Amino acid sequence: MKLISQLAREANIPIGTIRFYEKSGLISGMTKPGITSNNYVYYDDEVTEKLRFIKMAKAVGFTLAEIKQVIDAWYQKELTKASKMEVLNLKLEQIDTKIGELKAMKKQIARCKHNIENGLSR
Amino acid sequence: MKLISQLAREANIPIGTIRFYEKSGLISGMTKPGITSNNYVYYDDEVTEKLRFIKMAKAVGFTLAEIKQVIDAWYQKELTKASKMEVLNLKLEQIDTKIGELKAMKKQIARCKHNIENGLSR
DNA sequence: CACAAGTATGAAGTATACTATATACTTGTA
DNA sequence: TACAAGTATATAGTATACTTCATACTTGTG
């Protein structure tokens, strides 16, 4: 159980971004039941995990809306087993497509490098 | 040599987006030397190739600025061989990082699917 | 107990990547 | 030759994903 600054440090994500993600429904912390003097929000390790996932997914071009779908399928949210599976299977397909695109790009860039090394125009 | 609407059809990219890419310096067409009655812009197959690359690169999370760097390294642009190689090698590294992230996501989602199938909370 | 540092909230501002609109000119077809 | 369809240009608007700012309250340390 940590406060936002510690979470930000651990995940290496700005506090503002974390607050934005929380407002967007991707993550959520909780206020401590006993405490009434403030409304500080506490986060557990599940949130750290989610942030790690968000970071990776963003890095490969998924939108926050898409990421939210996966996180919702992941961490319950009154969804049926079938609809969760649908979301996850679609993502797996999209991931394979992206891997294919990355491999195609690798080949193209390797060819380009080869051409440059040999002084060809293209 | 094709006009913008044909290029848009071939690449399956909206005309407006193509114009935006041209304004952003990612692609460029040319007016026909002999013609003075209009300023229609013609595009060759190199542009189609570039658009294909842009599409892939965008799909895996590269920004237009990053893509422009690669295209510039690719298609000359008064850059030294060394600086081109630097750009391309960096991209190859980033591509491998992204492939790694995608594989990690695959594993995580597969694990998640397994849990859902077995009725586990996570 | 002063006060720097941390926290919450809301609203406005920014960057990227389009997308739409308005205007005006050009071309091809009936 | 009328006129729909295509093209160019500039400007404004939109969506996403933050980022900054202002305000106000809370907490921990000397």
Side-chain angles (χ1 to χ4, degrees):
Chain A
M1 288 307 236
K2 46 210 135 178
L3 286 170
I4 197 159
S5 65
Q6 195 192 332
L7 178 64
R9 233 182 347 263
E10 276 178 27
N12 200 31
I13 292 176
I15 288 178
T17 305
I18 292 175
R19 291 228 162 90
F20 174 74
Y21 289 163
E22 184 150 19
K23 214 166 35 177
S24 308
L26 278 93
I27 59 163
S28 57
M30 41 202 151
T31 53
K32 280 202 174 164
I35 298 170
T36 51
S37 66
N38 67 36
N39 46 351
Y40 288 9
V41 178
Y42 289 82
Y43 302 92
D44 57 22
D45 292 337
E46 197 175 281
V47 176
T48 314
E49 250 183 83
K50 284 183 187 177
L51 288 177
R52 233 193 304 278
F53 183 80
I54 292 169
K55 243 185 172 180
M56 280 195 299
K58 265 184 44 60
V60 295
F62 286 110
T63 65
L64 293 188
E66 288 176 305
I67 296 167
K68 180 166 157 43
Q69 279 198 320
V70 175
I71 287 181
D72 286 351
W74 202 306
Y75 294 88
Q76 319 316 329
K77 286 272 181 178
E78 77 273 340
L79 293 170
T80 67
K81 193 184 270 198
S83 75
K84 286 180 191 178
M85 288 312 233
E86 203 183 325
V87 168
L88 298 176
N89 284 325
L90 176 61
K91 277 313 150 209
L92 283 178
E93 267 179 54
Q94 293 174 339
I95 286 170
D96 282 333
T97 302
K98 281 179 198 288
I99 289 176
E101 284 163 335
L102 284 165
K103 284 183 178 167
M105 285 178 66
K106 270 182 90 161
K107 271 188 202 164
Q108 235 173 318
I109 291 176
R111 193 156 42 79
C112 174
K113 276 181 64 176
H114 184 264
N115 287 347
I116 290 172
E117 263 153 3
N118 294 300
L120 298 166
S121 74
R122 317 194 3 252
Chain B
M1 288 306 235
K2 48 209 135 178
L3 288 169
I4 197 160
S5 63
Q6 196 192 332
L7 178 64
R9 234 182 345 262
E10 277 179 27
N12 199 32
I13 292 176
I15 289 178
T17 305
I18 292 174
R19 291 228 162 89
F20 174 74
Y21 289 162
E22 183 149 20
K23 213 166 36 176
S24 308
L26 277 93
I27 60 163
S28 57
M30 41 203 151
T31 53
K32 280 202 173 164
I35 297 171
T36 49
S37 66
N38 67 36
N39 47 351
Y40 288 10
V41 178
Y42 290 82
Y43 302 92
D44 58 21
D45 292 338
E46 197 174 281
V47 177
T48 315
E49 249 183 83
K50 284 184 187 177
L51 289 178
R52 233 193 304 278
F53 184 80
I54 292 169
K55 243 186 172 180
M56 279 195 299
K58 266 184 41 61
V60 296
F62 287 111
T63 65
L64 293 187
E66 287 176 305
I67 296 168
K68 180 167 157 43
Q69 279 197 321
V70 175
I71 287 180
D72 286 350
W74 202 305
Y75 294 88
Q76 322 314 330
K77 287 272 181 180
E78 76 274 339
L79 293 170
T80 67
K81 193 184 272 199
S83 74
K84 286 180 191 178
M85 288 311 232
E86 203 184 324
V87 168
L88 298 177
N89 284 325
L90 176 60
K91 277 312 149 209
L92 283 178
E93 266 179 54
Q94 292 174 338
I95 286 170
D96 282 332
T97 302
K98 281 179 199 286
I99 289 175
E101 284 164 335
L102 285 165
K103 284 182 178 168
M105 285 179 66
K106 270 182 90 161
K107 271 187 202 166
Q108 236 173 316
I109 291 177
R111 193 156 41 79
C112 174
K113 276 181 65 176
H114 185 265
N115 287 348
I116 291 173
E117 263 152 4
N118 295 299
L120 298 166
S121 74
R122 309 189 16 247

